[in-house]
């Protein structure tokens, strides 16, 4: 929005002096230091992404012989090689990641919405204790949870299954925390009380009145969870041994592990990394404007 | 049953019903595993005879043996020191950059702010494993543009994946991945400051730098505390990045960080008892550090409140 106004910012400021907050006319030019600093920061953050985009176009020999930021000619071949690698196991990994992250984030959001609503709206015995115990979960290092989780799921004969990766990620202490803050901010107590006056059941008040008010916050929780599960490496690393069920992070890691001994696999790893980044970057670009960042600052202020 | 009593009953039971799924999941996937890990940490396997036959390997009570072993384990202590060194680079650099970028975004007359904000936040969307993989290739002499440039300029080409530079290489991955997220948290709370505050300061003749140092930074102190807190926790738990770099260099051992050591003992050596004791120690250290930090932060806030 304001980026579109970059080219004609001066005319825009002239046309609408009222919207321009007390800018001394002498210093109307751009602030050089902040702009350059931010550009350098953006450059640093985009560098590896730009590199992988270009490197994915190189054939195996070009990768080691031509300058890294010079595009190559091998993208179509790399793509075909990657798709053919072990009967297309790469696409299986992508599908698995979509399943873990999509279904996992959905279930996680539902559980978070229930819990956040209950913790925000009702006064009941054990409320704060329950909230604090849940929050302590945020501090638990993942390895510490994952090892006994593995041992327990092994006893239930569930390790190396889709469920072993899906189930432990449904409850997110951070999701509950955000949902509580959002429910407290978005659902007025009067509205809940009015629903009760009308004789609606608690469930009906939640689904018909409160939940629609909570939707923007829940979208944020869903996205946080989607990214967190998509990016998770440790849990599947511990739980899974059959690579048919690997998510993309674990798949790429095993590919890199093999590639370390056979540089011919480097192009596969690089092309795989490039394609793995695409869906998340696309999702990120589409949704970043919908992210309610106020929620984050709300979380900060409380 | 009258309608009022039914309603009262419904209201009373409702929060518990809403919290039921979370409670079940918490018990099964948080409480039970933690309890089990603590239980295991006090156990060990006793091998009788040659260790053959079904009754030869027996789990017995070990008392604090696993804990004393862990605390005197050089490998674990060395890992903790490595992570300490790593954290001393990551946390100040990442939060310093996050604060700098947030202040720059918030400054007047800055151009391209939405585009650069998005670019700096972008690494948040990239999995840690993929980030480590991308940077890993950028550190490899054969494919790296840095080495290409150094070679053309005739400058020495240090090994980025060994010794001291390895710390910088690993820290860089964490800084790259985390700066954007922290920047957004700080920037959002900067945006919440009413502009009248700046107007007043400007009328008093304050420069933008003075406004940043004397007004903006103190006012976003709570979000700085929060980002600091989460950065420390994330640093203590570093696992993915060194694990991903491991195939690319011999300098990252399987026990580089304490959590890697826990993983190695549990699944490499199969000694889940030692691993459980180490995991418990790391969890306790994390909790102690967190609460100590939060208390210190609270005390500071209270002292400053009357002003």
């Amino acid at each position: 929005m304001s980026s579109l106004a970059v080219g004609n910012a001066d005319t825009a400021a002239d046309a609408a002096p009222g919207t321009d907050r007390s800018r001394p006319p002498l210093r109307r030019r751009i602030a050089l230091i902040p702009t350059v600093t931010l550009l350098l920061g953006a450059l640093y953050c985009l560098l590896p992404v730009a590199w992988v985009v270009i490197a994915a176009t190189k054939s195996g020999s070009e990768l080691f012989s031509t300058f890294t930021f010079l595009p190559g000619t091998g993208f179509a071949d790399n793509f075909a090689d990657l798709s053919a690698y072990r009967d297309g196991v790469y696409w299986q990994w992508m599908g698995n990641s979509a399943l873990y992250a999509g279904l996992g984030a959905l279930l996680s959001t539902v559980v978070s919405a229930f819990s956040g609503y209950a913790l925000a709206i009702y006064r009941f015995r054990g409320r704060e204790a329950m909230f604090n115990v849940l929050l302590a979960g945020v501090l638990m290092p993942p390895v510490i949870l994952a090892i006994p989780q593995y041992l327990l799921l092994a006893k239930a004969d569930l390790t190396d299954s889709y469920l072993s990766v899906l189930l432990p990620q449904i409850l997110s202490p951070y999701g509950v925390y955000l949902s509580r803050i959002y429910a407290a901010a978005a659902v007025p107590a009067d509205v809940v009380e009015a629903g009760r006056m009308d004789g609606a059941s608690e469930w009906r008040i939640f689904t018909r009145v409160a939940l629609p008010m909570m939707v923007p916050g829940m979208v944020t929780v869903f996205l946080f969870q989607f990214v967190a599960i998509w990016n998770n490496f440790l849990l599947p690393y511990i739980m899974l041994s059959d690579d048919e069920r690997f998510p993309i992070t674990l798949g790429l890691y095993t590919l890199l592990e093999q590639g370390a001994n056979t540089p011919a696999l480097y192009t596969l790893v690089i092309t795989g990394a490039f394609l793995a980044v695409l869906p998340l970057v696309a999702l990120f670009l589409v949704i970043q404007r919908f992210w309610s960042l106020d929620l984050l600052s709300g979380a900060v202020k409380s | 049953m009258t309608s009022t009593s039914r309603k009262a009953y419904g209201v009373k039971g409702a929060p518990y019903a809403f919290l039921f799924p979370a409670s079940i999941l918490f018990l099964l996937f948080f409480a039970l595993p933690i309890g089990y890990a603590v239980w295991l940490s006090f156990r060990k396997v006793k091998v009788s005879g040659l260790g053959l036959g079904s009754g030869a390997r027996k789990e017995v009570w070990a008392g604090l043996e696993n804990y004393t072993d862990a605390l005197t384990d050089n490998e674990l202590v060395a890992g903790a020191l490595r992570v300490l060194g790593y954290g001393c680079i990551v946390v100040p650099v990442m939060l310093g950059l996050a604060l700098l970028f947030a202040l720059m975004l918030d400054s007047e007359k800055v151009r391209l702010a939405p585009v650069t904000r998005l670019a700096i936040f972008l690494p948040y969307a990239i999995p840690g494993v993929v980030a480590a993989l991308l940077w890993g290739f950028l550190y490899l002499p054969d494919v790296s543009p840095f080495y290409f440039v150094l070679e053309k300029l005739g400058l020495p080409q240090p090994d980025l994946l060994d010794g001291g530079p390895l710390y910088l290489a690993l820290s860089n991955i964490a800084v790259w991945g985390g700066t954007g997220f922290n920047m957004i948290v700080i920037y959002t709370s900067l945006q919440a400051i009413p502009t009248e505050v700046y107007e007043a300061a400007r009328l008093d003749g304050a420069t933008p730098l003075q406004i940043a140092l004397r007004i903006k930074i103190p006012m976003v102190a709570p979000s700085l505390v929060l980002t600091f807190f989460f950065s420390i926790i994330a640093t203590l738990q570093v696992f993915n990045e060194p694990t991903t770099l491991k195939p690319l260099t011999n300098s990252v051992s399987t026990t580089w960080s304490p959590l890697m050591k826990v993983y190695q003992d549990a699944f490499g050596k199969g000694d889940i008892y030692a691993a459980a004791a180490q995991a418990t120690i790391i969890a306790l250290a994390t909790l102690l550090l967190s609460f100590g930090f939060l208390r210190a932060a609270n005390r500071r806030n209270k002292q400053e409140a009357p002003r």
Side-chain angles (χ1 to χ4, degrees), chain A residues 217-236:
Chain A
M218 292 310 106
V219 170
T220 309
V221 172
F222 176 86
L223 296 172
F224 269 121
Q225 276 309 103
F226 189 93
V227 173
I229 299 176
W230 185 285
N231 291 356
N232 198 349
F233 168 71
L234 187 72
L235 187 75

Side-chain angles (χ1 to χ4, degrees), chain B residues 279-297:
Chain B
T280 310
I281 291 170
I282 297 168
L284 282 176
T286 310
L287 285 175
L288 269 174
L289 211 76
S290 310
F291 281 113
F293 179 75
L294 285 181
R295 270 189 65 175

Side-chain angles (χ1 to χ4, degrees), chain B residues 25 32 36 89 107 172 246 256 286:
Chain B
L25 287 167
L32 199 60
Y36 190 47
I89 306 172
S107 62
N172 176 55
K246 200 155 50 74
W256 193 86
T286 310

Side-chain angles (χ1 to χ4, degrees), chain B residues 267-279:
Chain B
F267 296 100
K269 288 191 195 161
D271 189 352
I272 53 172
Y273 311 98
Q278 292 166 18

